[in-house]
Amino acid sequence: MSNRVVRRRTKSGRADVATSRAAIERALAAGNVPRAAALAEAALAAGASDPMILNLAAWQHEEAGDYRGAHALLRRALALAPGDVLIAGSIGAVLRKEGRHDEALAVLDRVVAAEPRHAAAWLERGYTLDSLKREEEAGESYRRALALDSTLAPAYGRLADTAARRGRADEARDQAARALALDPHEPAACAALATVAIEARDGAAAEALLRPLVDHVRGDDRTRTLTLLGDALDRQDGTEAAFDCYRDAQANFREVYRDALEPGPDRPSHRAFIERIAAQLDAPRAPAPAGDVPGAAGTHVFLLGYPRSGTTLVENVLASAPGVTALEERETLAGTDGVLVQNDGAMPDLAALDPALRDRLRADYWRRVAAMGAATAGTFVDMNPLNGAKLPIIAALFPQARVLVMRRDPRDVVLSCYRINFTPSPAAWCFSDLEETARHYDALMTLTERARATLPLAFHEVRYDRLVTDFAPTVRAMADFIGLPWTDDFERFDRTAQARGVRTASATQVRRGLFDGRGQWRRYADQLAPVLPILQPWVERFGFADRASLRE
């Protein structure tokens, strides 16, 4: 908290700031931050304006999930105390919770540059880098925080969680033990140990870790805990109870991110965004000319489909081959946002783009790719399962690119999306409701199929069911389409995943090797019953229907 000298206010009807501050400081000295924050709110309402009071009031808004209100109060505090790194660090934290990760990182970078001994800022910077899926940098930030303050249990917990997700069980246990020695309910440490247990198929052990935690966590930690508890129950074949946990987790996610993500008049849903784009694809288009761009890959591949359809598996298969570089789920096309596609999905006539603008956007794409650490001397694979929504832009900028489209049973895909904690985003908001997940899937499949019929791109379909049952021929066909020779390295994709680190929700499955995840939906058929009619046309169109799966 900031601790600046205040100016006494004397206007009639306003609380004496000195008296209020003294009461607040007594509460802080007693370790009663909620009491101090409540007193600060009262002083603020009575007309006080002091950095410490504003900062404490902001904390109370932040704890209540009102990140916008907290941010406004912190900005007022910083205006009164320019250069206060504690206030600036708090602004970085609130920006992250608002989902404004790039802005949060920029603020936190300035804070740790100005005050390298600010342990809490290094910790918050780690959280932000984790949100940006920059796992290695996040780990370094947590270690910097611990070098300054070895009592930061959340930093140990986050390091444990990262190790667990990367399959390093011993490291996860060691870091978790350090965290739990400081805080027996540290959520990331408990999640790490539960993840290790679930991966070892010990659902009972994971449940024992998670049950006591449920009543001690809020916000994102509660969402994660409930989801993992669902997974622990699923491991024990308690599908009904597991689904209840997944439902509770998604309800909590909606509560936490309602202000930031709930669709409204000025914020269309991600499904509406997709539907607007699809409506603009009406007739086949001639390919636009595409000249050379500095830094462009020799062979350019977009890998898409839908979250949980197998894109991470295929990405790691391809990345195992010599001369292939892949990026997983990075916003490589962010430079086109607001230029070629608006927030509501509206697009200009992409076939009539000014050549200079096209070249500038293509160059921006390759600069972004390079900045993300990807080599482009050979084959570059841009994996983002939701890039089906960007197919019109891909066709306008990169008509020579090859497009791999993943196909998996829609019922397994939708169930899996509902069971996962995704990074907060407009799409993640859709996945937090089962019916909306199914309708979102329907919208993106409609757009993807329309794009395949109208856009001048080379498409190749990769079926998950064939990949896990007939690996070599399926990969050979995919490699032939891209122009890659067969290599036995394709079969060692699990080692590639372990070495690269997988940041998507598929990390556990891909590290295990060829995991066959078909038919999981059948165990949850009763829970999925309301959305099966939405998915059935795609089940039939993609060839996943059979007598056992058809419902009357």
Side-chain angles (χ1 to χ4, degrees):
M1 293 296 173
S2 178
N3 191 26
R4 299 287 177 176
V5 177
V6 301
R7 288 179 294 180
R8 186 183 182 93
R9 288 186 179 262
T10 58
K11 290 188 177 181
S12 175
R14 295 187 177 182
D16 184 291
V17 175
T19 301
S20 297
R21 185 176 180 116
I24 290 167
E25 290 177 343
R26 285 194 297 274
L28 289 173
N32 193 343
V33 178
R35 170 64 177 164
L39 289 168
E41 281 275 22
L44 193 64
S49 184
D50 167 81
M52 184 185 74
I53 288 171
L54 288 161
N55 203 357
L56 275 166
W59 178 87
Q60 183 150 290
H61 281 261
E62 186 178 345
E63 288 292 292
D66 178 15
Y67 306 131
R68 191 176 305 173
H71 191 181
L73 290 168
L74 288 167
R75 287 291 180 192
R76 287 174 57 189
L78 194 62
L80 292 171
D84 189 314
V85 292
L86 296 178
I87 296 173
S90 297
I91 289 173
V94 170
L95 283 168
R96 174 182 63 83
K97 292 175 181 179
E98 287 184 279
R100 297 160 64 179
H101 301 123
D102 289 327
E103 295 174 66
L105 184 60
V107 169
L108 292 163
D109 281 347
R110 290 195 294 271
V111 170
V112 296
E115 179 45 85
R117 296 169 298 173
H118 191 347
W122 284 108
L123 177 66
E124 183 58 48
R125 185 174 178 272
Y127 294 158
T128 304
L129 287 163
D130 262 341
S131 298
L132 290 165
K133 299 183 179 179
R134 291 163 60 176
E135 195 173 87
E136 295 297 333
E137 294 170 87
E140 180 57 31
S141 205
Y142 295 136
R143 286 186 283 273
R144 290 290 297 267
L146 287 167
L148 294 163
D149 183 354
S150 61
T151 68
L152 287 175
Y156 289 119
R158 288 299 186 109
L159 290 171
D161 202 10
T162 297
R165 286 186 281 108
R166 298 192 72 167
R168 301 195 297 259
D170 289 343
E171 181 185 341
R173 294 188 188 99
D174 177 64
Q175 297 286 9
R178 294 169 186 262
L180 295 174
L182 294 164
D183 177 0
H185 298 294
E186 207 294 307
C190 292
L193 294 176
T195 298
V196 170
I198 290 166
E199 191 162 348
R201 309 193 71 81
D202 190 347
E207 181 183 3
L209 283 162
L210 295 164
R211 285 284 185 195
L213 190 61
V214 172
D215 293 333
H216 289 272
V217 288
R218 292 182 293 176
D220 289 339
D221 291 330
R222 182 172 177 81
T223 302
R224 177 91 187 282
T225 300
L226 286 166
T227 300
L228 283 171
L229 181 56
D231 291 344
L233 294 167
D234 176 84
R235 278 281 187 259
Q236 301 171 76
D237 291 322
T239 52
E240 186 173 346
F243 197 84
D244 288 342
C245 284
Y246 298 138
R247 183 188 294 114
D248 290 345
Q250 297 295 8
N252 189 72
F253 174 91
R254 288 204 158 203
E255 186 62 31
V256 171
Y257 288 101
R258 191 171 304 281
D259 287 346
L261 295 175
E262 185 175 30
D266 299 322
R267 184 193 289 153
S269 72
H270 197 254
R271 173 162 64 96
F273 171 81
I274 290 169
E275 290 170 342
R276 178 75 182 274
I277 292 172
Q280 295 167 87
L281 293 178
D282 49 10
R285 295 167 179 256
D292 294 336
V293 175
T299 301
H300 191 188
V301 180
F302 286 94
L303 170 57
L304 49 89
Y306 202 79
R308 310 297 292 157
S309 65
T311 50
T312 299
L313 171 58
V314 169
E315 181 216 3
N316 280 278
V317 170
L318 292 173
S320 301
V324 177
T325 301
L327 281 176
E328 76 175 353
E329 295 193 31
R330 303 295 292 273
E331 293 298 330
T332 54
L333 289 163
T336 65
D337 295 342
V339 179
L340 298 187
V341 61
Q342 301 304 313
N343 190 47
D344 61 356
M347 299 184 299
D349 183 355
L350 298 178
L353 275 185
D354 175 62
L357 174 61
R358 182 185 296 115
D359 288 347
R360 178 173 66 79
L361 292 172
R362 295 171 67 221
D364 175 80
Y365 172 90
W366 290 115
R367 280 194 298 270
R368 286 176 184 274
V369 167
M372 292 170 182
T376 58
T379 297
F380 170 65
V381 179
D382 187 339
M383 188 280 272
N384 191 320
L386 292 174
N387 263 352
K390 297 288 184 75
L391 280 168
I393 292 169
I394 291 169
L397 301 182
F398 307 107
Q400 305 307 314
R402 294 163 173 82
V403 181
L404 296 174
V405 181
M406 284 302 303
R407 290 282 179 253
R408 186 184 178 192
D409 189 321
R411 297 160 295 192
D412 279 328
V413 168
V414 166
L415 172 64
S416 190
C417 285
Y418 190 66
R419 292 172 58 178
I420 292 295
N421 291 153
F422 288 98
T423 300
S425 69
W429 179 268
C430 292
F431 302 149
S432 63
D433 177 84
L434 186 62
E435 181 177 342
E436 184 61 16
T437 306
R439 295 198 181 280
H440 184 273
Y441 179 90
D442 175 63
L444 189 55
M445 294 306 102
T446 298
L447 170 55
T448 304
E449 293 304 289
R450 193 169 296 176
R452 292 178 70 177
T454 61
L455 297 176
L457 288 167
F459 290 91
H460 178 77
E461 189 171 286
V462 184
R463 288 179 60 109
Y464 174 83
D465 56 323
R466 293 174 188 162
L467 188 64
V468 298
T469 58
D470 206 8
F471 181 84
T474 304
V475 174
R476 283 184 188 275
M478 177 174 64
D480 288 345
F481 168 73
I482 295 170
L484 294 172
W486 171 264
T487 169
D488 291 342
D489 291 335
F490 285 137
E491 297 178 326
R492 292 186 275 273
F493 64 86
D494 54 334
R495 300 180 195 175
T496 302
Q498 185 68 48
R500 296 173 69 226
V502 177
R503 292 177 290 271
T504 69
S506 304
T508 299
Q509 293 95 324
V510 175
R511 282 199 317 274
R512 268 192 257 165
L514 207 57
F515 172 75
D516 188 348
R518 293 176 299 157
Q520 304 253 348
W521 73 272
R522 297 179 190 279
R523 299 168 60 236
Y524 291 90
D526 290 342
Q527 289 81 11
L528 289 174
V531 303
L532 292 180
I534 300 170
L535 301 176
Q536 192 62 31
W538 297 108
V539 170
E540 295 175 1
R541 180 166 180 168
F542 295 156
F544 291 102
D546 57 40
R547 290 183 180 179
S549 66
L550 293 172
R551 301 176 67 86
E552 295 298 325

